Amino acid sequence: MTRPSPTALLGHGLRVLIPLSLALTAYLYLFPLFGSCAFPLPPLHSAAAASNTANSRRAAFVETAKVHLHTSVGAAANSTAFVPSRPIAPFRLLALGDPQLEGDTSVPTEYLGVFPHLKSLVRHVMFQSEHSSLRQRVRQTFHDLVDVLLEDTFDALESLRKRLDHVGNDFYLAHIYRTVHWWARPTHVSVLGDLVGSQWIDDTEFYHRAGRYWNRVFRGTERVPDDLAAYPADEYDLTGYLGGGPFNESTTWSRRLINVAGNHDIGYAGDVNDERAGRFESAFGKVNYELRFELPVTDAALVETVFDADRKSDRLVPELRIVVLNDMNLDTPAVSTKLQDETYAFINNVINTAAAVEFKGHFTLILTHIPLYKPEGVCVDDPFFDFHEHDGSLKEQNQLSTAASKGFLEGILGMSGNADAAGRGRGRRGIILNGHDHEGCDTWHYINQTAEDLEWEVKRWRQANAAGIVGRDELPGVREVTVRSMMGGFGGNAGLLSVWFDETAWEWHAEYATCPLGTQHMWWFVHILDLIVVIGVVLFVVGTVLAALGVNVDGAVEQSVVRLCSPRKKVAKASTPEKGPI
Ligand SMILES: *[C@@H]1O[C@H](CO)[C@@H](O)[C@H](O)[C@H]1NC(C)=O
């Protein structure tokens, strides 16, 4: 009986590995399909509340799948534009939380040097160091020798692993962005702060990470141009229009990143200074600005009903206002009162230039980093404040203070516990998106106008819905979504926010869904497996071709393997037949 040749063995292995690697690669590269990811759809009947049931998720997925089918099949047939079987949200935001790109701060050779003990060892041996005696010189030499072997070598290997890890992590994050963007088709994209992993890094490292952010993780994107990132004003220019056609919108905004400043980018109030804020703005865009998108009203009968045509109307031309807010220095004490004043002034201007609460048709989307105040137990992060010992400034915070949170609820959104206030205290329609708490959290803030103590309360979104609190007249409120981090440790999450306009009620509605990839281990495993398979296929082809050419490659491989690996086994094998069972 002849043993199978190495080429044949390789062939057998590949027969198992190739289907496995194809299946896993397909899964990895089409993960939004397997996870049924899609931007939530507006409900079929405008009166129906936005729902996030299994049925509505399936419908949204099917609609997205149809677009892809149409684009791939339709492109070949050169057919007309895609007409969806049901309306699609004109504003679809791909929301990403806390990528936190790591860098040299976690690479030992960067802060310790490369083989530092080897250098000092050489100095001792070359008599370039001071020693009281030869004994001391020898002692130090051996000391360093031990450190070279047991410390430097380890640090060097760890540094290599870290660097590989950083590159892999960049591509892992890029994979999430690229794949979800391709499948779900957002109209806008936002990264909700903590773009890089530390506020303490020097400028070189900061710009290096910014380079990785733009050229690797979010390749093909650009920042929001400074001249479009507007300061709130009474007379403003529209940033653009929504609803250029279902899934056919201009791709300009879908390729722009609306970056939010986080504590790891510019620091907490005790860290934020001109330098840190300045370099963030030069690399990622402004920290405070607004964007205003109009949804044109196409129905002529409806145009007659808006305030511009009918001064008795409370309907405004539908507009989505995006407020990008640096909330890192809202709370006190801040080291730079100048920068804090800028943030306060910005918020005041946002409030002063907002439509009066009595009007309908505008929607405010607030993008910021630190979440609003919530009592212990609502989300994973509980309220937490820490202050610097040297100057008492704010060192760290999990959430905003209650006062700062009120600035969002009663200021920007104009809600009130007083039912007799303008607009019955119901405020402006909107939603708040942020990051910071890597675990993510979906909540509803509300105030009970009929209660004795007028106090802002908060519940998990699901609980608030189950309790019938959402949308009640005497309970004005707003949804706050803390987007789960896109880091591998949190399952590589991507958030999908849809905002659409209900012409019957003349109100905007929003709904949120998530699309997680899974941890980074899967990403690594699939790519390593693919690499092994590719090498295997190349070896197999080479082996087969050489065999066909008459080269006894299998014999040669076998012999050299035997010679290299187990010269002793060869002897043992030679003697086996005689000692075999009889
Ligand atoms: C609001 O306050 C009233 C009066 O105290 C109370 O009866 C009602 O249950 C409260 N509603 C909620 C949702 O807490």
Side-chain angles (χ1 to χ4, degrees), residues 6-7 552-563:
T7 312
N552 185 6
V553 60
D554 287 342
V557 169
E558 217 166 323
Q559 271 181 20
S560 55
V561 167
V562 168
R563 221 179 298 133

Side-chain angles (χ1 to χ4, degrees), residues 102 161-174 212 216-217 523-524:
E102 290 295 329
R161 192 190 69 80
K162 274 280 179 199
R163 280 184 200 284
L164 191 66
D165 202 41
H166 292 160
V167 175
N169 191 54
D170 286 355
F171 284 114
Y172 164 81
L173 297 175
R212 283 164 49 201
R216 207 186 270 158
V217 180
W523 184 91
W524 276 108

Side-chain angles (χ1 to χ4, degrees), residues 211-223:
R212 283 164 49 201
Y213 183 88
W214 290 113
N215 302 321
R216 207 186 270 158
V217 180
F218 297 105
R219 208 189 158 87
T221 61
E222 57 166 25
R223 50 190 270 194

Side-chain angles (χ1 to χ4, degrees), residues 446 448-452 457 459 467-469 472 474-475:
Y446 65 99
N448 187 349
Q449 293 180 334
T450 55
E452 293 280 306
E457 296 174 71
K459 276 194 166 38
I469 290 169
R472 284 248 298 276
E474 77 284 13
L475 303 169

Side-chain angles (χ1 to χ4, degrees), residues 413-455:
L413 294 166
M415 295 185 285
S416 166
N418 179 3
D420 298 327
R424 288 178 293 129
R426 308 265 309 135
R428 303 178 187 92
R429 286 271 178 162
I431 190 168
I432 303 165
L433 253 64
N434 45 39
H436 199 43
D437 181 338
H438 298 161
E439 301 282 347
C441 200
D442 195 348
T443 57
W444 180 255
H445 295 264
Y446 65 99
I447 193 160
N448 187 349
Q449 293 180 334
T450 55
E452 293 280 306
D453 302 322
L454 288 181
E455 235 177 31

Side-chain angles (χ1 to χ4, degrees), residues 179-211:
T179 314
V180 178
H181 195 283
W182 158 75
W183 172 254
R185 305 208 167 196
T187 57
H188 294 71
V189 187
S190 178
V191 183
L192 296 152
D194 284 359
L195 321 182
V196 299
S198 169
Q199 68 270 43
W200 311 114
I201 52 180
D202 63 27
D203 285 357
T204 318
E205 176 63 12
F206 179 84
Y207 288 110
H208 179 67
R209 289 191 204 185

